[in-house]
Amino acid sequence: MQRTIVPNFGSAWEEFGEENENTGTYALNQYKKLQDAVDNFVTFFGMQPLDRTEKVPDDKNSHLLVMSGVFRGNFNVLVRCKFILAENGVAMQLQVRSDDPDINQAIIESM
């Protein structure tokens, strides 16, 4: 995945539409802090964090990370990761949008 900057994530996200989206929900019990989970997923996906969402404000129980990248074959990919701090770790809802449903599914399954 190559990092890319998207000037207006919200607009780009809506352009792909829900029909080009795959989702997954995960229990990340190895993380006790939201920032640790965010840092790991920025590295794991190798995508560009946008709108300064790679920084979790202090004293927050949830956080939304948005990222963009270009997948092999020149496919633009957008990701939204919603992290929620729970008693036993961090929960994450992952949403992936691109023009290729196989890419979306591959990213979801990489978890």
Side-chain angles (χ1 to χ4, degrees):
M1 187 80 68
Q2 181 179 1
R3 292 175 176 238
T4 59
I5 294 184
V6 174
N8 187 335
F9 181 86
S11 177
W13 183 259
E14 292 306 317
E15 278 183 38
F16 277 123
E18 289 182 24
E19 66 277 7
N20 292 312
E21 178 178 306
N22 289 56
T23 62
T25 303
Y26 309 91
L28 310 172
N29 296 334
Q30 68 270 37
Y31 301 107
K32 303 304 178 201
K33 297 179 181 178
L34 291 175
Q35 188 65 62
D36 292 342
V38 168
D39 290 344
N40 187 21
F41 282 91
V42 167
T43 302
F44 178 79
F45 286 118
M47 300 177 79
Q48 178 65 48
L50 301 170
D51 303 333
R52 299 183 188 148
T53 60
E54 72 276 15
K55 298 294 181 200
V56 179
D58 292 336
D59 300 327
K60 293 292 183 180
N61 291 328
S62 65
H63 184 71
L64 180 65
L65 170 68
V66 296
M67 298 184 291
S68 65
V70 176
F71 197 79
R72 188 176 310 149
N74 208 32
F75 290 97
N76 292 316
V77 179
L78 300 176
V79 167
R80 288 177 33 155
C81 300
K82 180 162 186 169
F83 297 92
I84 300 171
L85 189 58
E87 287 182 23
N88 58 345
V90 175
M92 179 183 73
Q93 180 186 28
L94 175 63
Q95 297 170 279
V96 182
R97 289 187 181 184
S98 76
D99 286 327
D100 188 327
D102 292 333
I103 292 171
N104 296 353
Q105 192 60 35
I107 292 170
I108 292 291
E109 289 176 358
S110 72
M111 295 296 305

